[in-house]
Amino acid sequence: MEKQSGKKQIDPKKPDLKLDQIKLDQIKLLLLDVDGVLTDGQIIYTDSGEQIKGFSSKDGLGLRLLMDNGIKVGIVTGRKSAALAHRLQNLGIDLVFDGIQDKAAAFDKIMELTGIPARHIAFVGDDLIDLPAMIRAGVSFTVPDAPKEVKYHADAVTSAKGGHGAVREICEIILKAQGVWGKILNRYLS
């Protein structure tokens, strides 16, 4: 496992990666930023001003697998967009805080609403605005093209970039730590 800015780098070639097994096997909620995490960070506008975003289907399956195994998923993002609303509806994610500039306050509100303490929450962010939530979470992740300050404060940096499988890596790591990955694979192999 490589070190990057003093933090662990996820190696997808090692399926039995143990990023702090004790913390990961207690995760009950995964919170995600959107731009740069679920997407590659690009925001494309049509001539009429409509936003277009691209999402990874692999990330989507990873999120569904988490939810199917009792782990809640939520969104904390600085932007609002119709494209995001459609994607979240498709995935069945209804814990959504969009248009948020104060992610610390949103994180605290989510703990209050869900009753899930910070130590049981993982947060994935990619920029400075995400740091207040990342440092509150029991486990925090970021992507390889995040600023060095964000990487420094993350518990782990994914190998894949945002919008290109980073979230899927994280979902698999959590599911493996919680001992359900084999059951998931067997379901697809039978």
Side-chain angles (χ1 to χ4, degrees), residues 18-94:
K18 292 178 181 73
L19 173 72
D20 196 338
Q21 181 78 25
I22 294 168
K23 284 185 178 182
L24 289 170
D25 70 6
Q26 295 179 12
I27 295 301
K28 297 182 182 343
L29 171 62
L30 176 65
L31 294 175
L32 306 156
D33 176 41
V34 174
D35 296 318
V37 172
L38 280 172
T39 74
D40 64 6
Q42 291 189 45
I43 301 167
I44 301 167
Y45 290 95
T46 64
D47 287 342
S48 64
E50 182 181 7
Q51 285 186 32
I52 299 173
K53 296 178 186 258
F55 299 95
S56 166
S57 61
K58 289 182 173 79
D59 288 348
L61 179 59
L63 293 170
R64 284 183 190 260
L65 293 173
L66 277 182
M67 293 184 291
D68 289 349
N69 284 279
I71 299 167
K72 297 179 186 319
V73 175
I75 299 296
V76 181
T77 183
R79 297 179 151 283
K80 289 181 178 263
S81 82
L84 174 62
H86 290 297
R87 181 63 174 149
L88 298 179
Q89 181 181 14
N90 175 262
L91 291 171
I93 297 171
D94 56 11

Side-chain angles (χ1 to χ4, degrees), residues 6-24:
K7 299 296 173 176
K8 300 171 190 151
Q9 176 105 9
I10 295 169
D11 182 352
K13 295 178 185 156
K14 295 182 182 175
D16 59 344
L17 174 72
K18 292 178 181 73
L19 173 72
D20 196 338
Q21 181 78 25
I22 294 168
K23 284 185 178 182
L24 289 170

Side-chain angles (χ1 to χ4, degrees), residues 15-16 18 23 36-37 42 50 71 79-80 88 93 98-99 114 117 120-121 123-124 134-135 162 171 184-185 189:
D16 59 344
K18 292 178 181 73
K23 284 185 178 182
V37 172
Q42 291 189 45
E50 182 181 7
I71 299 167
R79 297 179 151 283
K80 289 181 178 263
L88 298 179
I93 297 171
D98 57 353
T114 64
H120 295 300
I121 300 174
F123 190 92
V124 188
M134 289 174 67
I135 62 175
C171 293
I184 292 167
L185 282 179
L189 293 172

